Amino acid sequence: MDSRGIRPYNRPMTHMDDLAAREKELLEDLEEFNREKERIRSLLGKIGGKDYSHRDNIINGLFLFVILVFFVLELTTHFLPAFVSIEISVLLVSIKIVWMIHSQHKFNHFQFWILNSLEFRVNEMNKRMRKIEKEITSK
């Protein structure tokens, strides 16, 4: 075979030609795998990657800051009645817990989607293997 993968007419296919063709096929499979890996990596980054954790840190800091402000105001100025300040803090903590549950639900859904797609691919490969085995045993 030449560099374009074309075998000359006057030369029979040799073992080396077969190995070269197999190597080319494996390289193409490897490139396809790398493309798929990068696509999944970008999806993971959008759902739970660095940007998400940075936003999560900002929101956590904001909640903590607001709760501390209410605590300090309560101790120093008695700006709000004691129970109102405590109720506002409990409300903020409750909102934070609901937000964390929602984030965990999104992560679990994505994890299920990944595992489901892996199972689908494994089953598909298993069907192919059975088909190949039948073809081999029938010959």
Side-chain angles (χ1 to χ4, degrees), residues 1-2 6 28 35-36 42 44 53 71 76 81 87 107:
M1 283 190 198
D2 64 3
I6 300 172
E28 289 172 359
R35 283 192 302 270
E36 182 88 12
S42 69
L44 285 173
S53 65
F71 180 72
T76 58
E87 287 176 357
F107 173 77

Side-chain angles (χ1 to χ4, degrees), residues 18 21 28-29 32 37 39 47-48 60 71 75 79 88 96 100 106 110 114 120 124:
D18 188 37
E28 289 172 359
D29 287 345
E32 181 181 338
K37 182 177 75 169
R39 187 177 68 83
I47 291 178
N60 286 339
F71 180 72
L75 290 178
F79 174 69
I88 290 173
K96 174 65 178 160
M100 287 172 48
K106 276 177 45 177
F110 185 72
I114 292 281
F120 177 76
E124 184 179 305

Side-chain angles (χ1 to χ4, degrees), residues 57-72:
N57 289 338
I58 290 173
I59 291 173
N60 286 339
L62 185 65
F63 272 108
L64 182 64
F65 176 74
V66 171
I67 290 172
L68 287 176
V69 165
F70 277 117
F71 180 72
V72 169

